Amino acid sequence: MKVSFTLNGRRVEVDVEPNEVLLDVLRLKLGVKSVRRGCERAECGACTVLLDGKPVYSCTVLAPMVDGRTVETVDYLASNGELKPLVEAFVKVGAIQCGFCTPGFLLTAYSLLRRNPQPTVEEVKKAIEGNICRCTGYQKIIEAILLASKLYAEKRSERKEE
Ligand code: FES
Ligand code: FES
């Protein structure tokens, strides 16, 4: 069957099997390698993408379910500048080691900061509970998300002054 959806701002149409998951469609059929394959059973968050703006595990979303919807991946949001404050914060704080989990964390954090621009530590912890990092111990990731919240606020106030 064919599904058609908006992927990173572009309409795409692709043949899928009814039981095929979005992760496989993105990586194998559409060449989006920034979406990581981890546990493949909704535990690690490495495969996170935004579906209509909300983070989902692409390893558990059946491809036919995305028909007519919008999917965004980390490379797109990084290339159009949306993730710049988050990326800067992750680098500055040292919240990246092997980096395998990072695309998922960036998208989860981005979604959190869009709906809650000034989260508390507890709210950050709650938001990232579905993402696993085997390297950093989480403390630096939490610090980075809190720093990014400040950087986004600065960006918003610069825009207002222009
Ligand atoms: S690969 Fe999807 S949650 Fe781990
Ligand atoms: S930085 Fe290695 S798994 Fe998170």
Side-chain angles (χ1 to χ4, degrees):
M1 66 187 292
K2 273 206 191 305
V3 296
S4 145
F5 59 101
T6 303
L7 172 62
N8 294 337
R10 228 168 25 95
R11 200 81 186 156
V12 293
E13 194 175 80
V14 60
D15 274 316
V16 302
E17 300 301 324
N19 61 350
E20 199 168 4
V21 292
L22 179 59
L23 172 65
D24 285 337
V25 173
L26 291 173
R27 287 188 60 90
L28 305 177
K29 292 187 170 165
L30 296 169
V32 185
K33 303 290 189 199
S34 67
V35 186
R36 304 279 195 237
R37 186 187 300 282
C39 65
E40 296 186 82
R41 52 180 190 201
E43 282 174 6
C44 74
C47 65
T48 300
V49 298
L50 298 186
L51 179 60
D52 295 336
K54 296 203 181 103
V56 294
Y57 295 147
S58 62
C59 69
T60 58
V61 174
L62 288 173
M65 288 171 59
V66 303
D67 193 47
R69 301 175 74 182
T70 297
V71 175
E72 291 165 311
T73 62
V74 76
D75 48 322
Y76 171 66
L77 291 170
S79 68
N80 71 11
E82 286 285 318
L83 292 181
K84 196 161 178 269
L86 263 166
V87 172
E88 277 174 15
F90 268 63
V91 171
K92 183 156 191 203
V93 168
I96 299 171
Q97 287 185 29
C98 78
F100 193 79
C101 67
T102 308
F105 273 100
L106 290 174
L107 290 179
T108 300
Y110 177 69
S111 163
L112 166 70
L113 295 177
R114 265 206 310 207
R115 62 175 196 279
N116 179 1
Q118 288 179 303
T120 62
V121 172
E122 286 314 309
E123 287 167 338
V124 172
K125 283 185 184 167
K126 180 92 192 126
I128 62 172
E129 67 187 8
N131 292 75
I132 290 176
C133 175
R134 307 233 179 250
C135 306
T136 67
Y138 300 99
Q139 190 52 42
K140 289 198 179 296
I141 292 175
I142 294 165
E143 280 171 33
I145 295 170
L146 293 171
L147 173 60
S149 133
K150 291 194 189 122
L151 298 179
Y152 276 112
E154 283 170 19
K155 214 170 140 189
R156 280 193 297 275
S157 72
E158 277 167 19
R159 272 204 219 112
K160 269 192 210 140
E161 282 166 17
E162 281 170 12

